[in-house]
Amino acid sequence: MDTVAGVYFPRGGMHAVPAAMADAVVRAGGTVRYDEPVTALERRGERVTAVLTEHGRIPCDAVVLTPTCPSPTASSDASPAAPSDCGTPRARS
């Protein structure tokens, strides 16, 4: 992934990284949910205690959100997208 000293990539291609992360979540007892739009997060203080989706409430101890962000090269605007420009988050609990 370094483009200065040479191009490197993970064995199995770039998809191997998120696949390994999802496998680690499952091995640790978590659940991975794909294409589940998040409508809100419930919090207690600074901790997220539940994820609200179009399909209901998901209580949780930890959450990893992976919002879909636009690519800066996908439009005529060459400036990178700001985090606030990201699309709908997807639940990973």
Side-chain angles (χ1 to χ4, degrees):
M1 291 190 260
D2 181 348
T3 59
V4 175
V7 176
Y8 301 94
F9 57 90
R11 285 191 180 135
M14 292 303 294
H15 180 69
V17 175
M21 293 172 72
D23 289 345
V25 167
V26 171
R27 282 193 312 274
T31 302
V32 179
R33 296 171 185 254
Y34 295 98
D35 297 318
E36 183 133 6
V38 173
T39 57
L41 299 173
E42 283 185 10
R43 298 175 187 225
R44 182 174 295 139
E46 293 186 15
R47 292 192 54 93
V48 174
T49 57
V51 176
L52 303 178
T53 74
E54 295 174 348
H55 304 290
R57 183 177 181 274
I58 306 167
C60 60
D61 296 320
V63 173
V64 176
L65 294 175
T66 56
T68 304
C69 296
S71 167
T73 59
S75 70
S76 59
D77 180 9
S79 63
S84 62
D85 292 339
C86 291
T88 304
R90 305 293 183 217
R92 306 287 191 261
S93 63

